[in-house]
Amino acid sequence: MKKALITGITGQDGAYLAKFLLDKGYDVYGTYRRLSTPNFWRLEYLEVFDKVNLIPADLSDTGSIVEALKISQPDEVYHLAAQSFVGASFETPVATGDVTGLAVTRILEAIRQTCPETKFYFAATSEMFGKTGLLNGGKSLNEGDFFYPMSPYAAAKLYGYWITRIYREAYGIFAVNGILFNHESPLRGLEFVTRKVANEVAKISLGLSKELRLGNLEAKRDWGYAPEYVEAMWLMLQQKEPDDYVIATGEAHSVKELVEKAFGIVGLDWKEYVKVDRRFFRPLDVPCLVGDYSKAKRKIGWEPRTRFDKLIEIMVEEEVDRWERWLRGERFPWDAPNYPSENRILTRALRM
Ligand code: NAP
Ligand code: F7E
């Protein structure tokens, strides 16, 4: 049985990837960090909470990363953990540089020293292209395009991208960069714009909220469906040679279109509810990003199936369903945080 270690298993992609790999018959290990309130709701939601092995580790703590590798002895490492919110990276640029950037070297170095045969996936991002998406006149971006990051988050990811290539070329580690464009789902963090909009639209439609406050409505993004994107991560590690791939839908839509579509689903006019609020603007914002996934289609046989309209429908309908159930008195995993049963937690003490 193959073994995979996922850093950031409690996040959106980590949870979907855990389910995907379990369905493929993998033994799945994931790192989580100690929080004052446990955060396993996505794993519970996908009903994999009791099927994954959890290892306490923090990206700023090299020893804990080494320990996670020793405990899990993985064939494949999917490095997804990061401070992933672009807006927050302007508030905490140094911490973001450490966790989102430098920590990639901590993991690669631990792999080089302890298990150099392990395959490594790095969660790179379309944000690395940044201003290029505007300078090239809105054309879709591929693996050969110029990087021009526009946030501390994007700069940290660009460091991670290059260090991944350097460990591949210098030490022959099977290390790949997945350059993923935005991908969303009902498991997205609440502060990201698609989930924020879907959640508030649902609440407004049920009389639980009165307005939706947003920042830059003109920004355009290439939004895909997260469960499809985790399959691309796995495909990249099944190839003969390590390489880097853009994963996207090839379509750009503005935040305004997103809002219009989402309110339309519940039969409301967005102009009556949306307020522009300076608080949600960023010191710098990437105006437009759209990806060209033709290399991924050609070489690893991946292409997107869920397009913008369907994605927004999935997200809004799921939020309406959640809030209707909540109104009927049902409670959800995130209302009742839980710790995993002890036998799913693997600590260094077990190796002593
Ligand atoms: P996410 O939901 O924000 O999940 C991030 C994960 O990282 C969480 O499990 C989080 O743990 C963990 N983490 C954060 N700081 C940590 C630390 N100091 N030590 C250990 N773990 C830490 O992100 P996502 O949407 O699943 O994205 C997965 C990865 O892909 C991220 O690296 C992101 O930057 C990248 N990416 C995402 C997209 C996208 O559109 N979703 C596109 C391109 C690239 P907690 O649960 O404890 O906070
Ligand atoms: O913003 C604009 C905002 O925060 C999208 C991360 O997963 O994808 C994500 O980064 C756009 C931006 O995602 C609000 O200014 C307007 O232009 O949903 P977002 P992001 O910044 O594109 C990339 C690929 C990643 O790698 C990241 O990890 O929407 N926007 N008003 C707003 N955004 C937010 N969050 N909230 C607003 O109120």
Side-chain angles (χ1 to χ4, degrees), residues 110-293:
I111 289 177
R112 187 186 71 80
Q113 290 185 24
T114 64
C115 50
E117 299 304 317
T118 297
K119 293 181 174 180
F120 176 79
Y121 172 90
F122 175 56
T125 167
S126 51
E127 285 291 301
M128 301 184 310
F129 293 119
K131 203 169 186 174
T132 304
L134 177 73
L135 297 176
N136 76 356
K139 283 209 301 283
S140 56
L141 297 152
N142 68 34
E143 296 78 3
D145 275 306
F146 190 68
F147 295 125
Y148 191 151
M150 293 178 82
S151 65
Y153 167 79
K157 282 286 184 183
L158 191 51
Y159 170 84
Y161 166 92
W162 279 115
I163 205 73
T164 296
R165 289 189 62 153
I166 287 165
Y167 270 66
R168 175 163 89 209
E169 291 176 26
Y171 305 115
I173 291 174
F174 193 111
V176 308
N177 285 295
I179 308 174
L180 273 51
F181 283 62
N182 300 51
H183 45 281
E184 318 293 316
S185 74
L187 300 190
R188 204 32 157 153
L190 260 179
E191 70 273 61
F192 296 93
V193 76
T194 53
R195 174 106 194 278
K196 178 176 174 179
V197 168
N199 184 50
E200 283 304 318
V201 163
K203 286 170 75 177
I204 290 170
S205 75
L206 295 169
L208 295 167
S209 181
K210 288 194 167 52
E211 62 178 27
L212 165 58
R213 304 186 85 85
L214 291 170
N216 179 9
L217 301 184
E218 305 307 323
K220 289 186 171 172
R221 290 291 184 276
D222 179 331
W223 282 295
Y225 188 38
E228 294 166 12
Y229 284 49
V230 300
E231 180 173 13
M233 299 174 185
W234 175 77
L235 282 168
M236 287 179 214
L237 292 193
Q238 312 314 309
Q239 306 307 307
K240 279 214 172 68
E241 299 296 332
D243 203 347
D244 307 325
Y245 299 91
V246 161
I247 300 296
T249 71
E251 283 177 29
H253 296 275
S254 66
V255 174
K256 200 185 280 171
E257 282 172 80
L258 158 68
V259 161
E260 196 172 357
K261 172 75 195 159
F263 275 95
I265 291 168
V266 295
L268 296 174
D269 178 0
W270 69 276
K271 292 196 198 78
E272 289 174 27
Y273 302 95
V274 172
K275 304 267 179 306
V276 171
D277 187 330
R278 296 298 309 166
R279 261 180 307 179
F280 300 110
F281 281 80
R282 295 168 185 174
L284 261 184
D285 198 11
V286 177
C288 176
L289 286 174
V290 54
D292 168 3
Y293 62 88

Side-chain angles (χ1 to χ4, degrees), residues 316-328:
V316 171
E317 282 169 7
E318 175 73 19
E319 296 297 334
V320 171
D321 183 56
R322 284 175 184 174
W323 283 108
E324 280 177 347
R325 285 159 57 197
W326 185 84
L327 282 170
R328 290 199 298 271

